[in-house]
Amino acid sequence: MAQISLTFPDGNAREYEAGITAAAVAESISKSLSKKAISATVNGEHWDLQWPINADASIAIHTMQDDDQALELIRHDLAHVMARAVQDIWPDVKVTIGPVRDNGWFYDFDRAEPFTPEDLGQIEAKMKDIINARDAVKTEVWSREDAIKFYQDNNEPYKVELVERIPAGEDIRMYWHGDWQDLCRGPHLQHTGQLPADAFKLTHVAGAYFLGDSDRPMLQRIYGVAFKNRKDLKAWEVMMEEAAKRDHRKLGREMNLFHMQEEAPGQVFWHPNGWRIYTTLQDYMRRQQTRDGYVEVNTPQVVNRKLWEDSGHWENYQENMFIVEVDEDHAREKTVNALKPMNCPCHVQVFNQGLKSYRDLPLRMAEFGSCNRYEPSGALHGIMRVRGFTQDDAHIFCTDDQIEFETKKFIEFLSGIYADLGFHNWTIKLSTRPEKRIGSEESWDRVEAALGNACRAAGHDFEIQEGEGAFYGPKLEFTLTDAIGRDWQCGTLQVDPNLPERLDATYIGADGDKHRPVMLHRAVLGSFERFIGILIEEHAGKLPFWLAPRQVVVASIISDADPYVHEVVAALNAAGVRAEADIRNEKINYKVREHSVAKVPVILAIGQKEVDERTVTLRRLGEKQTRVVELDQVVTDLAAEATAPDLR
RNA sequence: GCCGCAGUAGCUCAGUGGUAGAGCGCACCCUUGGUAAGGGUGAGGUCGGGAGUUCAAUCCUCCCCUGCGGCACCA
């Protein structure tokens, strides 16, 4: 037998016989390590303890101390244990795939009857039995023919298809957890007893298409979460409760911001409180745009299909547009219009009015563009995914040579806005040429380089998403991370030479000839509706003072204080602070609780003492302590705080 | 759009084959109280919409709408 040399993390190397398993290596080090071992890393690859090592390599043996590997294995093995439990209980159920995902895993099953919540409890109990049985995990590499035959014989048609899809040259690995068999890449634990029986939970059942293909029948997906120990599972549960508390649909109702109703699905009825957030944000964005050299326009909602045919949207998105047919007098056919699903074709119409010179470029044309899209019913979600929304949209008409500078300028613009709005943690992704595309390789090379250079020049790293660009040009996506770690793609910049071509936009160059401009579609917030949803969830409803719809409540303690309460409110209002009086016949405890629940950032309490001394007692949301402040002082301070960040 | 679940007072929810209940909120009265719910009285419902079964439907069946959790989609 040939000898191989394995190098350990501490730099020491030892000789072994070729073909030794990682488990045997662990055993050679110590009995206790061999018991505790869960997997290995061999030449950077996560390695099953049962797999042989045939050549010189670096090796590290993992135990449950190694979080990354431990969580991966726990979740992955639990996916198999769950599938086994399901087939133990219902032998007719067909298994498909079950990958690790997020904080757990899912597994898709084909079963005629739906799984119920009671079923989940039963499956969990069975899983615990399997864990307690400490069943050994075994693996073998099989030939494609044997694997296909095996699954055909066992009436597992999905597995047959999965085996057929494994690329040539890749091992086809069969795994057993006890007697139960599954196709799997591995690696896995040594035995089911290494799984934590008290740190996992089946969370919910949902439909899912096999391999994500909506043309195929729907399977039933069971989701689970798992951690190393019970404490981490509890922490996850607390985190889920926290996320539920931040839900913008719940807070929107509690703070009286907006509502939705079935006569207008996917559209928002903004209440005074919510609309105050909206207009405050829009006013801020308008000031920013104006400062950054944009001109603002406004374009029609109902536009004849001809324009959408010319732009190409009719062909691709007809199904997703609201169609408005009008029966004009004596017309043989109805006139067919569509509510605009986007603003760009209309912006080109504005651009096309009058001759444009190269001296007009770059032309930055902005619109708070109200759009309507007939989104699939299942896609709707609160105010985050709606059918009627307003984009902070703009199109920059420019020459090829101006793309890089305009992109850099835009990134700096966006960066300042995100900072003002309290988002400091965001990333850029650059999506490059897809397989199906138009335009020359040279022009793709040039534009992709321009976007990359612009990011660097603006001082930002970016990640490349290979092949994810539009068919006509590359794009940048700006994704921000919120207070509880969720990512939201908001900003975008998309290079588009196609639409100016289709809609025949031209400018006269320095050479006196007509030229084609390029359009940069760009947005910072995305849509006001969605962004406000994100803001609500980011702050758990406790919006920064300048954005808070209700900023101050001045609450009386005794009714003799009422005149002074009104005076305080008037002084604050005059200084640009949104303040209101609460002189109801209620105790101060009651008022404090009510306004705290409603997330009013500042409560000013007024009793006899304040009236006599011309002060207020100020209490901030979430703080227990109060402090007494002179009236003039509180007006000055709160007025400063109420000023938008760009005006301070 | 697909799979599953749900829809009862403004909100959160209980309930029944014989046309409904709680808490909070709301209105009125008492209370003038010093920082997260003072007390009393009262109003408020086509039980999501339509059809069917039944002597009788909020309850059972079917269809539709809307919402929720995913999947698919997101110009």
Side-chain angles (χ1 to χ4, degrees):
Chain A
M1 261 309 210
Q3 293 290 113
I4 58 168
S5 169
L6 297 182
T7 310
F8 292 90
D10 60 8
N12 289 324
R14 281 167 73 165
E15 299 283 314
Y16 292 96
E17 277 188 9
I20 188 166
T21 64
V25 173
E27 190 155 11
S28 77
I29 295 167
S30 82
K31 194 80 192 160
S32 74
L33 179 64
S34 103
K35 267 193 171 169
K36 284 196 304 192
I38 54 173
S39 66
T41 291
V42 175
N43 284 342
E45 194 182 338
H46 200 192
W47 202 264
D48 196 295
L49 292 172
Q50 298 176 62
W51 294 350
I53 304 164
N54 296 316
D56 290 356
S58 65
I59 183 169
I61 307 286
H62 301 301
T63 66
M64 282 293 171
Q65 303 301 313
D66 299 307
D67 285 2
D68 288 352
Q69 290 81 8
L71 285 170
E72 164 83 20
L73 289 165
I74 286 169
R75 290 163 183 165
H76 195 176
D77 278 83
L78 280 168
H80 289 265
V81 167
M82 180 176 82
R84 172 177 162 188
V86 166
Q87 286 199 319
D88 279 359
I89 303 169
W90 300 280
D92 291 341
V93 172
K94 306 279 170 269
V95 289
T96 66
I97 54 167
V100 170
R101 207 195 73 149
D102 297 335
N103 292 308
W105 75 91
F106 63 76
Y107 206 115
D108 290 347
F109 300 96
D110 185 4
R111 180 189 181 215
E113 305 77 39
F115 288 108
T116 65
E118 295 72 50
D119 291 341
L120 294 190
Q122 199 184 342
I123 297 165
E124 271 184 21
K126 178 66 93 176
M127 288 171 72
K128 284 175 185 168
D129 291 346
I130 295 169
I131 292 169
N132 291 332
R134 302 172 68 86
D135 279 338
V137 177
K138 291 193 297 286
T139 182
E140 292 173 6
V141 175
W142 281 27
S143 72
R144 191 178 303 265
E145 296 69 37
D146 288 350
I148 290 173
K149 176 149 193 331
F150 177 83
Y151 284 122
Q152 282 169 343
D153 292 349
N154 282 283
N155 194 18
E156 291 286 6
Y158 297 97
K159 288 292 178 191
V160 172
E161 185 170 344
L162 290 169
V163 173
E164 285 166 347
R165 283 169 174 270
I166 294 174
E170 215 170 278
D171 280 349
I172 295 170
R173 284 205 171 272
M174 306 295 266
Y175 266 89
W176 287 262
H177 284 70
D179 293 333
W180 186 83
Q181 195 285 331
D182 203 354
L183 175 74
C184 188
R185 236 180 240 120
H188 279 293
L189 296 166
Q190 297 196 57
H191 58 85
T192 61
Q194 290 182 310
L195 288 166
D198 62 347
F200 75 90
K201 185 177 175 180
L202 303 186
T203 55
H204 59 282
V205 185
Y209 299 109
F210 183 54
L211 303 173
D213 183 348
S214 60
D215 291 332
R216 305 189 62 151
M218 190 155 259
L219 305 169
Q220 294 189 63
R221 174 172 296 180
I222 303 180
Y223 287 88
V225 292
F227 299 90
K228 283 167 66 176
N229 51 57
R230 185 150 191 85
K231 189 174 120 262
D232 290 352
L233 175 64
K234 286 281 171 215
W236 174 84
E237 285 171 348
V238 169
M239 163 79 181
M240 293 307 287
E241 284 165 23
E242 176 58 27
K245 274 188 222 155
R246 289 168 178 259
D247 192 315
H248 74 280
R249 294 166 298 189
K250 179 174 176 284
L251 289 167
R253 197 167 45 239
E254 289 173 0
M255 295 171 70
N256 196 11
L257 303 179
F258 57 82
H259 84 273
M260 305 178 89
Q261 62 186 53
E262 60 178 276
E263 287 81 356
Q267 296 174 87
V268 187
F269 291 77
W270 287 103
H271 296 9
N273 287 343
W275 193 243
R276 237 170 266 143
I277 302 174
Y278 189 112
T279 53
T280 303
L281 188 59
Q282 192 177 54
D283 291 348
Y284 165 81
M285 288 303 289
R286 179 171 281 129
R287 288 194 302 272
Q288 292 295 326
Q289 279 169 196
T290 304
R291 268 185 214 133
D292 216 49
Y294 289 80
V295 290
E296 186 174 329
V297 299
N298 196 266
T299 59
Q301 295 297 318
V302 182
V303 179
N304 192 279
R305 71 184 270 180
K306 166 110 185 22
L307 183 63
W308 307 115
E309 285 167 353
D310 291 348
S311 71
H313 292 103
W314 191 261
E315 193 187 346
N316 292 318
Y317 296 105
Q318 192 185 339
E319 295 294 300
N320 297 303
M321 290 198 238
F322 280 100
I323 306 297
V324 182
E325 292 193 354
V326 182
D327 199 353
E328 303 198 14
D329 284 348
H330 311 301
R332 213 169 273 167
E333 288 179 34
K334 288 184 179 174
T335 307
V336 179
N337 306 287
L339 294 187
K340 74 171 167 183
M342 54 187 341
N343 308 299
C344 25
C346 291
H347 287 187
V348 177
Q349 306 312 304
V350 176
F351 182 87
N352 284 353
Q353 294 299 304
L355 279 184
K356 292 289 179 296
S357 150
Y358 70 96
R359 295 173 196 276
D360 294 321
L361 306 185
L363 175 55
R364 308 184 189 99
M365 188 184 292
E367 177 173 2
F368 296 119
S370 289
C371 296
N372 290 274
R373 295 179 185 175
Y374 188 75
E375 299 285 2
S377 57
L380 303 178
H381 178 85
I383 64 173
M384 299 274 209
R385 185 82 184 269
V386 285
R387 288 182 176 157
F389 55 93
T390 302
Q391 298 173 316
D392 64 314
D393 199 11
H395 296 93
I396 301 171
F397 294 86
C398 64
T399 66
D400 275 3
D401 294 341
Q402 293 169 332
I403 293 174
E404 185 171 323
F405 177 82
E406 287 301 312
T407 303
K408 169 174 173 280
K409 183 176 169 63
F410 174 68
I411 296 169
E412 289 163 352
F413 178 67
L414 168 143
S415 175
I417 291 168
Y418 285 177
D420 279 351
L421 295 172
F423 293 102
H424 299 284
N425 193 359
W426 52 274
T427 59
I428 308 180
K429 293 194 190 94
L430 166 60
S431 296
T432 59
R433 67 197 81 182
E435 273 181 36
K436 284 178 71 178
R437 60 179 178 265
I438 57 171
S440 67
E441 294 308 290
E442 297 72 51
S443 97
W444 278 95
D445 287 344
R446 214 167 48 241
V447 180
E448 285 172 5
L451 295 191
N453 290 340
C455 292
R456 282 184 285 266
H460 287 276
D461 274 341
F462 57 91
E463 182 189 316
I464 291 186
Q465 290 188 307
E466 210 72 59
E468 293 294 310
F471 71 90
Y472 48 74
K475 67 177 170 186
L476 296 177
E477 287 178 348
F478 303 85
T479 303
L480 44 88
T481 304
D482 76 7
I484 55 173
R486 296 173 302 184
D487 288 339
W488 305 94
Q489 195 240 301
C490 293
T492 180
L493 181 141
Q494 168 116 34
V495 181
D496 183 3
N498 181 55
L499 197 63
E501 181 76 35
R502 293 193 69 125
L503 298 178
D504 196 26
T506 58
Y507 67 92
I508 309 297
D511 56 5
D513 291 337
K514 276 189 177 181
H515 297 275
R516 197 66 82 194
V518 65
M519 284 172 91
L520 308 181
H521 308 256
R522 40 105 299 165
V524 178
L525 308 180
S527 88
F528 281 91
E529 288 74 6
R530 180 163 173 273
F531 199 85
I532 290 171
I534 293 168
L535 277 174
I536 293 168
E537 301 207 355
E538 161 77 8
H539 296 289
K542 299 174 192 163
L543 293 169
F545 196 80
W546 71 281
L547 279 171
R550 305 172 62 203
Q551 293 172 324
V552 180
V553 168
V554 186
S556 59
I557 296 170
I558 49 166
S559 47
D560 284 348
D562 291 357
Y564 181 61
V565 165
H566 289 302
E567 185 187 340
V568 173
V569 168
L572 286 165
N573 288 159
V577 179
R578 293 187 282 269
E580 54 200 273
D582 182 357
I583 55 166
R584 290 175 304 167
N585 175 16
E586 297 291 350
K587 296 177 100 170
I588 193 66
N589 293 301
Y590 183 91
K591 294 182 183 181
V592 165
R593 178 186 148 78
E594 183 175 286
H595 302 306
S596 299
V597 167
K599 318 270 190 240
V600 176
V602 170
I603 297 170
L604 302 180
I606 310 286
Q608 191 58 51
K609 187 163 68 80
E610 288 80 2
V611 173
D612 296 341
E613 296 170 0
R614 294 190 64 75
T615 56
V616 298
T617 298
L618 183 148
R619 177 188 164 122
R620 287 193 182 266
L621 181 58
E623 290 177 13
K624 265 222 130 20
Q625 92 207 50
T626 61
R627 65 199 175 86
V628 178
V629 191
E630 306 271 329
L631 174 57
D632 293 347
Q633 189 63 46
V634 84
V635 171
T636 310
D637 291 352
L638 292 178
E641 210 174 326
T643 306
D646 62 312
L647 297 176
R648 280 173 201 159

